[in-house]
Amino acid sequence: MAHQSFRIAAAAAALALAPAVAAAQEQTLRAITAFPSGLAFSQSFLGFVEMVNERGEGVVQIDYAGGPETVPQNQQIDAVRRGIVDMQYGPASFYLGRMPEADAWVGSTVTAMEARENGGFEVMQQAFSDKLGVELLAHIDSGVQFHIYTLEEPPRDAEGNLDLDGLQIRSQPIYRSFFEELGATPISVNVPDVYTGLERNTFDGAGWPIVGIKDLNWDRFLRYRVDPGFFQTDLAVVVSPDSWEQLSEEARTLLTEVAAEYEKISHDNFQQIVAETDATVREEGMTVIELEGAARERFLDLAYDSAWSRMREAGTEHYDALRDAYYDR
C-alpha cells in the first residue's frame, strides 16, 4: 500500500504542474535500476518515471527496462557511460573505489533539497562526471537512515555504549569500518542470501535501512533494532553523457525540473513509509534499543567519522566543499 504513494504523488504533481509544450519530436530514454522492481526504492524511481512521462508527453519519455536481471549491478554504471542504456538509478556508494565523493551522501546530515541550495549537489555533479563519466540528474529518496538489527538483544557496557564484540553482523562497505569500531565482525552476504542466513543463525544481525526490512521478510528473525539511525540513502539518477547531449533543450530542462521536484516528493514519501514501518514492527514485537546521552553521541560520532575519514584518506579535491555542504553535526 505504501509503495503506491510514489505513483499517486508523482501523478498528482504532474497533472498540477504540467506545462503547455510545443509540438516536438518525442525522445525516449531507456532506464534500468540497481534493485529489483518490487523493492520500495525501485518503486520510488518508477514514480519519478511516471512523473516525467506525464509532464514530458510529446517531448521526452522514460522507458523502464528492468533491474539487475537486465544489466548486472556491477556493470550498470559502465553501461550508462558507454550509452548502452540511457539512464540508471542506484546507490552512489557502489562506486566508492572509483568515486570516494559518494561518502558525502553516505555521511550527509542534510537533505537533497538543502544540498541543491547550498551548492553541494553541483560539486557532486562534477564528481560523477569526472570519476564515473556520467551526468548526475538527481539524488532522490534521501533521508532514509540505516540501523543495526540483531537476532538477540545487543549487549551494552556499563556506560550504555553498544558493544558488539564477537558478533557477526551482515555488512556492506559503507559501514564496515563503523561496525569494526563497535567490536563486530562484519561479514559480506548478498541480499538474496540474507534471509537464509538469518533462518539458519549463521550470523547475528544486519545493517539495513528501516525501509525494506519487511519487504525482505528479515523482520521475522531480526527482533532488535538499535536507535538512533545513522548515515542516509545515497540513491542517484544518472544519464549517459551522449544521451544527455542528444536531448533537446526542452527535454533537458524538463528532466532537470522534475528531478528537483521529485527529490522533495520522494523524501517526504519515504518519511511517511519510515514512520509506518516503525509503528508496524514495534506492534509486531520488535524491541527498539534507544541509545541515550553520551552513548548516543559516541555512536553517531563513530558512524559519521568513519564515512568522512574514508573520503579524506581516499583523497579528493572536493573534500572541503562537500563537508561544508553536506555535514553540519
Side-chain angles (χ1 to χ4, degrees), residues 96 100 103-104 106-107 172-182 230-231 298-314 319 323 327:
L96 271 174
D103 266 326
V106 172
Q172 55 185 346
I174 60 171
Y175 38 72
R176 175 177 295 276
S177 60
F178 171 47
F179 285 5
E180 289 173 341
E181 288 283 346
L182 294 172
F230 58 95
F231 296 163
R298 176 180 180 272
F299 178 85
L300 292 173
D301 286 344
L302 287 174
Y304 287 103
D305 286 351
S306 71
W308 289 100
S309 295
R310 184 169 53 230
M311 191 204 303
R312 185 179 61 250
E313 291 166 5
Y319 178 84
R323 187 170 174 103
Y327 189 68

Side-chain angles (χ1 to χ4, degrees), residues 243-319:
S243 302
W244 185 253
E245 288 300 318
Q246 290 168 14
L247 289 172
S248 67
E249 183 177 349
E250 186 176 15
R252 289 197 296 267
T253 298
L254 187 146
L255 285 166
T256 301
E257 290 175 351
V258 173
E261 292 168 20
Y262 199 74
E263 284 177 349
K264 177 169 174 49
I265 290 170
S266 64
H267 173 276
D268 293 348
N269 276 334
F270 267 119
Q271 296 313 299
Q272 179 180 344
I273 291 173
V274 165
E276 291 171 354
T277 303
D278 179 43
T280 299
V281 297
R282 288 174 188 261
E283 289 171 5
E284 293 176 352
M286 182 176 287
T287 299
V288 177
I289 305 297
E290 185 76 48
L291 301 180
E292 298 177 345
R296 177 188 178 93
E297 291 306 306
R298 176 180 180 272
F299 178 85
L300 292 173
D301 286 344
L302 287 174
Y304 287 103
D305 286 351
S306 71
W308 289 100
S309 295
R310 184 169 53 230
M311 191 204 303
R312 185 179 61 250
E313 291 166 5
T316 169
E317 67 275 24
H318 301 304
Y319 178 84

